[in-house]
Amino acid sequence: MITRIISYGGNTFAPDYSVGHVLGTEPRLPDANVQTLQRIGAWPVIASLQRQQHSMALMIRIEGDDYDALRSQLFRWFDPDDEEPQMLIAENHAGIPMYVQAVCDDLRVYGAQERDQAFVVRLVVHGDVRWRGETEVEDTWAITGTGQTQIITNEGEDDAYPVFEIMPTVGKTGSYDWRRYVLVTWRAINAGGNYPTQIAGFDTATHVGAGEMLASGDDLRVFVDGVEVARYLINMNTASTDIWFSADWQRAPQLELTADIAATGTIASIDLDDASEMNLMTTRGFVRIDDEVFSYTGRDLTNARLTGIQREAWNTDEAAHSAGATVHWMQHEVLLLYGDDTASAPSYPARHQPVFELDDSDNEEWQYTTFDTTIPVRRPGSWLWEGSIKPTGQGGLYTQTQRTFGIPWNVMGMWMDEQHWQFYGWRLNHPCGVVNAAWADGQRRAVDAGAQDWIGRLHYKVREEHARLQALIDTPSANGDWESWSEAAALSPWEPADYILIVLWPVLADIEVGTVTVSLNAAEVPEFEIGDHLGNYALAATITNNTTGEALIVNFQMATNETLEIDTDERPATYELDGSSQFQAIELDSVRRYWLRLQPGDNELQFDDPGTNAVTFDTIFEERYY
């Protein structure tokens, strides 16, 4: 227990003040408020436990001679307007320095006002109510292979929650040895869910020739925010390989830099022009200005400023940036990994592959010859249907040529045999905007030729109220015969559209289309830049405390001689190279409140990661006391 109070906020009490706890407020464990759930015919059960505010009161007496100066100093130390928690440092009976964090809630004179010599300070504890050792305990463990163990001794009275710092110093055996950052910039003013993006022109032939990549491309993988995603390769083992993957994107903030950034040196903040647009961004993340990527850890929406800045993120280089430059929010960290000569071909569910023809498409043009393969789960780039898919009734939609049905959907077909006010059609929504649609391999058949013109493609311009007509499909010359049709280009003027639509209404007829080439708004489609060829370390470790049986699982792609810091107390995971949050890299083997704890006494830690050759593993923690 506490025997002597030493300082508060870095200010030492002795010899000018004597300090002790007010009787009845000595350090103790605070009360908890137990919430119970009432049951009919049975005793209540505990539903939750709410922790209460924990406070303590200190009696402080002025012992020095200069009462006025010491009194004023005391009021400065314990200012209730100061919202920043301060360290209250004390010693226990064993002489161990310990601390809690607290803020001053109240300061008042004790006893006769005219003497003004004794004061009572009430402190409210911030966070952990256990006292913590002021000096951190550190252990460095040189790991040379998987399955090794290390004893960590916690001499405190309660569980401790360590910080682990993991730094591989030699590459793994049988793993992805190489990486490239791909800077993918989402520029659209709309969000894009499960959006397909092409990384074009990657020279895989050079890497294959150097023995850095398999000729099959089986080891070439795409990781988005530390998680492997489905990828599809076109023209593997050539100087121009295309890689397709899909990701979710939020609306791109429209931001500009308002203050110059010097070509070199650290910076404290990045000033932007629009706080409302900043509100679209995460509270910590990355931005790109020109060719440099910056990490940030805070947003100051009052002053339109990003804070906690670290330069040269994602292996980019420092450069000068002028006010007025566009600032892009980099929503995802995208990595190409390769160099595992033991890799086998990856297998992905069919629903992950974009619907359009990957080998005939790029980021500015999607060509369709099929339109989906399944109804319950939409594939990336799928068309939506307007109406219903059915073989009988007044009308409907069909998916294979000349009013037949099946999977895959080789055509977008519509039919109507009875006059009614239902329309049938197919629609493609696009977050970046469509600037043209060319329709080919179409067929049409009239049930009642000449009844009225056919209503064909329509497009809806961004921020306008009504759909606009692109073109009409001419009425067939005779009833009952299938005739071909096509429409090669849009009528002018054509502006970026939120969606395009082919529709049949209200004539008695059949119409289908087998190929559609969609041209996209080049100003808003994703941009990409492939970074340099770098070494990679595929950390896939399980850290187990064999004493408690609890384990922490870590999967993270990183560089050798760099550090991943895992704080099991506050629960962030931070890649120190760029200050980025890597929370997604952490997984627990069971549901629990804290990631991994050290019991009082000896704890045996075990590190499992097949292929490990050399990892420096630091364990840092504060002992906790009652």
Side-chain angles (χ1 to χ4, degrees), residues 571-574 580-587 595:
R571 285 158 283 182
T574 305
S580 60
S581 173
Q582 300 296 336
F583 185 85
Q584 81 291 333
I586 308 302
E587 181 183 351
W595 281 358

Side-chain angles (χ1 to χ4, degrees), residues 542-600:
T542 299
I543 305 163
T544 305
N545 185 340
N546 291 330
T547 305
T548 64
E550 298 171 348
L552 189 69
I553 302 165
V554 187
N555 287 282
F556 182 56
Q557 308 297 329
M558 60 189 301
T560 55
N561 297 307
E562 298 294 344
T563 300
L564 177 67
E565 181 183 273
I566 303 170
D567 187 339
T568 69
D569 185 11
E570 298 295 334
R571 285 158 283 182
T574 305
Y575 189 32
E576 293 189 351
L577 176 63
D578 56 20
S580 60
S581 173
Q582 300 296 336
F583 185 85
Q584 81 291 333
I586 308 302
E587 181 183 351
L588 305 183
D589 67 322
S590 63
V591 178
R592 54 182 182 267
R593 182 180 175 192
Y594 289 98
W595 281 358
L596 201 68
R597 60 195 171 102
L598 301 175
Q599 286 186 345

